Amino acid sequence: PDSVAVSGSGVAPGAMFTVAPGNLAFGLVIVSTSKADSVLVTNAGGQPLTISQVASDNSEFSVTPTSGGPIPSLGSQRFHITFSPTSLGVKSGAIIFTHNGATSPDTVPVSGIGAAPGPLFVVTPLSINFGFVDVGASKLDSVQVTNFGILDLSITLASSDNSEFSVVPRGAGAIPPTGSRKFYVTFSPTSLGFKSGNIIFAHNAEGSPDSVQVSGAAIVPSPIFTV
């Protein structure tokens, strides 16, 4: 037999918006610098696709161009997105495409982390109030240290300036960028009254040492009633 090769593309009856990738994660970007990436919008419909507006809901993410098309059937256009963090921490937003397709508006989620040029020590919470604790008893809480820098963070020593508050572990090896480590603080009052102190962290980042305020009130143990 002889054969004839045939091919075709199924398209929607009108304009059809598709975008790839469906989201962008920029990772670590040093504050006051920028990182660029892009998405490709394709028209999978049978009619031209016109993008009347492209906007960001977070000023730390910008997009160009701010409109597009008309994009012919099976045609594509690239849009460039830039992350420019102005402060430290995790950032997120959405790039919003308004167009003449049936699914308008469409969004592309974006995310990134504003980082320091070296290691960066960030602890949460900044204080712990243990409330009322019986003398001779103990109560446990914790803080989390996160590295928002682009280099490893090392905790050389975690200590307390009040023996009724203790912390473990006493140190931590390399915490990688965006990594976290928990430190557990215990309040073990030995006498009555209000107690306070500081958990002190010595580390290799700027600003060392950092501290977390701790407090609690030691009370008389409640009597136990028996018959």
Side-chain angles (χ1 to χ4, degrees):
D2 287 290
S3 63
V4 175
V6 292
S7 63
S9 298
V11 297
M16 183 176 176
F17 179 98
T18 62
V19 62
N23 62 79
L24 289 179
F26 287 88
L28 288 165
V29 178
I30 296 173
V31 170
S32 300
T33 68
S34 297
K35 184 178 180 180
D37 206 334
S38 66
V39 295
L40 186 68
V41 172
T42 300
N43 178 16
Q47 298 296 321
L49 173 68
T50 299
I51 300 171
S52 57
Q53 184 181 50
V54 189
S56 171
D57 66 0
N58 183 335
S59 61
E60 292 176 293
F61 299 91
S62 59
V63 58
T64 57
T66 55
S67 62
I71 302 172
S73 177
L74 303 182
S76 299
Q77 182 173 346
R78 190 165 293 278
F79 291 82
H80 301 273
I81 300 166
T82 302
F83 175 40
S84 305
T86 58
S87 60
L88 298 167
V90 177
K91 311 300 176 85
S92 62
I95 306 301
I96 305 164
F97 293 83
T98 303
H99 53 81
N100 65 331
T103 60
S104 181
D106 282 280
T107 62
V108 174
V110 288
S111 62
I113 300 172
L120 180 66
F121 177 98
V122 177
V123 63
T124 53
L126 293 174
S127 64
I128 299 174
N129 184 348
F130 286 90
F132 295 105
V133 178
D134 292 346
V135 172
S138 296
K139 188 175 181 181
L140 179 71
D141 208 329
S142 66
V143 295
Q144 180 166 286
V145 172
T146 302
N147 178 14
F148 280 127
I150 62 170
L151 300 177
D152 287 351
L153 171 69
S154 295
I155 310 295
T156 53
L157 180 65
S159 61
S160 172
D161 63 4
N162 183 334
S163 61
E164 292 177 293
F165 299 92
S166 59
V167 57
V168 291
R170 299 280 289 172
I175 302 175
T178 72
S180 298
R181 188 71 51 85
K182 280 211 169 192
F183 290 80
Y184 296 90
V185 183
T186 302
F187 177 36
S188 306
T190 58
S191 61
L192 295 172
F194 177 79
K195 310 300 175 78
S196 64
N198 295 280
I199 304 301
I200 303 165
F201 296 90
H203 51 78
N204 66 329
E206 186 177 351
S208 179
D210 283 280
S211 63
V212 172
Q213 294 181 334
V214 288
S215 61
I219 59 174
V220 175
S222 301
I224 299 174
F225 178 80
T226 61
V227 177

